[in-house]
């Protein structure tokens, strides 16, 4: 049985855009007769079967949004998706979701699979592998083919598209200031996501807070790794060899590990040992003691990203100006930090 060709494959073979192929197959007056004949003959030769929902690229009539999430087990992304689905439903759009599992290969595969006329545009957060390797050409290709992308949380400055981020830098300054102002003298910085753009911004905020107060960071208390395995190995005897009375953890895993090792060491939380984590899942409230966190407002991020994409899809403006929306975070103080005196 002959395999069926796709619009993208035909476009590549003929050296034209996917939009040109679609319009030629639809007898669009925008396409010349010789091009129409050439495209149709090649499509027939390659056993191409038109997909009804994928043919009307010009009018974006599928009313379907593709969402690519790095990790569905992360409570943050689950909250973002909640916001995406709510707004999409209100606006009459369907959602197709793919999980990259932090893989560059799966991310590329998901983009290629859905960009063949199945969806009108993408909402996505970049995979760890893509950010670590700084490989973003697959996003540029999709945008160049006429499919808009809105990135959220993990974004790439190199890509010219709409973005929704949180104030990672400023929120890290505020969280670090809270630890310093509450009396912590030996503050550790933990991360197991150091290859991600968000980790870099949060780390910069941590250092800036010290600088603003005329203090110096103890580099012996800074552990920045690219994965949880390396992090767990490096902190095995951390509290045995270092005096620590405060921890700012930049991700969910290091937040929970910071609390676990402090409690195991027998330190009184928060009197002797305070922790602020950059996550706000259900477990943060259910831990004993409960964990103070920087809340990223996931549903608001998802909602804003979806509004931006739909606005782009429904805009009649030919020269659309890309923008970046910043969602403000919130420091939620619980039992793992001391209350500041007013």
């Amino acid at each position: 049985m002959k395999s069926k060709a796709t619009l993208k494959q035909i476009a590549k073979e003929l050296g034209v855009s996917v939009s040109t192929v679609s319009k030629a197959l639809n007898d669009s007056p925008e396409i010349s007769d010789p091009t129409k004949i050439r495209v149709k003959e090649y499509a027939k030769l390659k056993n191409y079967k038109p997909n009804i929902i994928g043919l009307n690229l010009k009018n974006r009539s599928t009313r379907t949004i593709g969402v690519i999430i790095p990790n569905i087990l992360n409570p943050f992304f689950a909250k973002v998706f909640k916001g995406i689905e709510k707004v999409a439903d209100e606006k009459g759009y369907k959602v197709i979701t793919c999980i990259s599992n932090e893989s560059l290969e799966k991310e590329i595969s998901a983009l290629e699979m859905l960009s063949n006329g199945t969806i009108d545009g993408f909402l996505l957060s970049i995979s760890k592998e893509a950010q670590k390797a700084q490989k973003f050409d697959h996003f540029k290709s999709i945008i160049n083919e006429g499919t808009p992308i809105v990135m959220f949380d993990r974004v790439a400055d190199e890509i010219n598209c709409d973005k929704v981020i949180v104030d990672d830098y400023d929120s890290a300054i505020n969280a670090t200031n809270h630890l310093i102002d509450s009396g912590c003298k030996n503050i550790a910085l933990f991360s197991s996501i150091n290859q991600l753009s968000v980790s870099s911004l949060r780390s910069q905020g941590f250092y800036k807070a010290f600088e603003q107060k005329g203090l110096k960071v103890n580099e012996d208390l800074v552990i920045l790794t690219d994965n949880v395995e390396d992090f767990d190995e490096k902190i095995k005897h951390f509290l045995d060899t270092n005096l620590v009375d405060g921890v700012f953890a930049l991700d969910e895993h290091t937040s929970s590990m910071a609390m676990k090792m402090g409690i195991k060491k027998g330190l009184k939380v928060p009197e002797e040992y305070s922790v602020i984590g950059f996550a706000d899942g259900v477990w943060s409230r259910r831990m004993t003691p409960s964990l103070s966190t920087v809340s990223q407002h996931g549903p608001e991020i998802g909602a804003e990203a979806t509004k931006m994409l739909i606005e782009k899809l429904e805009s009649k403006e030919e020269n659309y100006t890309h923008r970046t929306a910043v969602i403000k975070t919130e420091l939620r103080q619980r039992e793992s930090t001391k209350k500041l005196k007013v």
Side-chain angles (χ1 to χ4, degrees), residues 199-254:
S199 181
S200 176
L201 290 169
R202 295 167 192 174
S203 296
Q204 291 172 31
F206 175 82
Y207 278 87
K208 188 63 176 180
F210 273 77
E211 179 187 320
Q212 289 176 342
K213 291 184 177 294
L215 302 173
K216 188 175 181 180
V217 174
N218 182 349
E219 296 296 339
D220 291 336
L221 304 184
V222 176
I223 298 183
L224 305 177
T225 69
D226 289 346
N227 57 71
V228 296
E229 291 78 12
D230 286 349
F231 177 80
D232 290 350
E233 182 63 31
K234 288 185 177 181
I235 65 161
K236 277 185 177 179
H237 307 290
F238 186 78
L239 290 183
D240 295 331
T241 55
N242 295 286
L243 178 63
V244 178
D245 59 6
V247 176
F248 181 39
L250 306 189
D251 57 277
E252 183 178 32
H253 179 77
T254 56

Side-chain angles (χ1 to χ4, degrees), residues 76-87:
F76 167 69
F77 290 118
K79 289 184 177 182
V80 171
F81 184 74
K82 182 179 180 181
I84 291 172
E85 196 169 46
K86 182 176 185 296
V87 173

Side-chain angles (χ1 to χ4, degrees), residues 62-306:
T62 69
R63 299 188 71 81
T64 303
I65 294 171
V67 180
I68 302 179
I69 296 175
N71 183 353
I72 195 62
L73 297 179
N74 187 321
F76 167 69
F77 290 118
K79 289 184 177 182
V80 171
F81 184 74
K82 182 179 180 181
I84 291 172
E85 196 169 46
K86 182 176 185 296
V87 173
D89 185 60
E90 290 173 350
K91 300 289 186 178
Y93 281 75
K94 300 181 290 295
V95 176
I96 297 177
T97 308
C98 292
I99 314 300
S100 70
N101 280 329
E102 307 292 7
S103 164
L104 173 59
E105 182 180 350
K106 288 183 178 180
E107 186 172 75
I108 293 173
S109 177
L111 281 168
E112 291 181 344
M113 175 182 67
L114 296 179
S115 65
N116 190 30
T118 303
I119 54 89
D120 295 343
F122 284 103
L123 299 172
L124 60 88
S125 188
I126 303 175
S127 67
K128 283 184 181 180
E129 284 190 359
Q131 284 209 318
K132 187 174 183 179
Q134 290 292 289
K135 291 187 176 181
F136 308 124
D137 285 346
H138 49 303
F139 301 127
K140 294 178 182 178
S141 296
I142 295 298
I143 293 172
N144 289 339
E145 290 172 2
T147 303
I149 289 176
V150 176
M151 293 182 173
F152 60 86
D153 187 49
R154 304 181 195 171
V155 303
D157 293 337
E158 299 89 334
I159 305 300
N160 189 23
C161 68
D162 288 333
K163 301 177 178 75
V164 180
I165 60 175
V166 298
D167 57 340
D168 288 288
Y169 179 75
D170 291 336
S171 61
I173 292 177
N174 294 335
T176 306
N177 280 336
H178 183 92
L179 291 172
I180 295 172
D181 294 343
S182 66
C184 295
K185 304 294 184 184
N186 303 290
I187 305 173
L189 176 66
F190 290 167
S191 175
S192 66
I193 57 170
N194 199 45
Q195 74 274 39
L196 300 182
S197 56
V198 292
S199 181
S200 176
L201 290 169
R202 295 167 192 174
S203 296
Q204 291 172 31
F206 175 82
Y207 278 87
K208 188 63 176 180
F210 273 77
E211 179 187 320
Q212 289 176 342
K213 291 184 177 294
L215 302 173
K216 188 175 181 180
V217 174
N218 182 349
E219 296 296 339
D220 291 336
L221 304 184
V222 176
I223 298 183
L224 305 177
T225 69
D226 289 346
N227 57 71
V228 296
E229 291 78 12
D230 286 349
F231 177 80
D232 290 350
E233 182 63 31
K234 288 185 177 181
I235 65 161
K236 277 185 177 179
H237 307 290
F238 186 78
L239 290 183
D240 295 331
T241 55
N242 295 286
L243 178 63
V244 178
D245 59 6
V247 176
F248 181 39
L250 306 189
D251 57 277
E252 183 178 32
H253 179 77
T254 56
S255 301
S256 60
M257 290 302 292
M259 285 290 286
K260 181 179 179 180
M261 60 191 248
I263 294 170
K264 185 176 181 181
K265 187 68 177 176
L267 298 173
K268 294 181 180 178
V269 180
E271 293 82 5
E272 300 174 324
Y273 182 79
S274 297
V275 179
I276 295 179
F278 218 105
D280 196 34
V282 175
W283 58 270
S284 301
R285 301 186 294 275
R286 293 179 179 175
M287 291 180 72
T288 305
S290 57
L291 177 65
S292 294
T293 59
V294 176
S295 174
Q296 297 160 276
H297 297 302
E300 287 88 341
I301 293 173
E304 181 63 22
T306 309

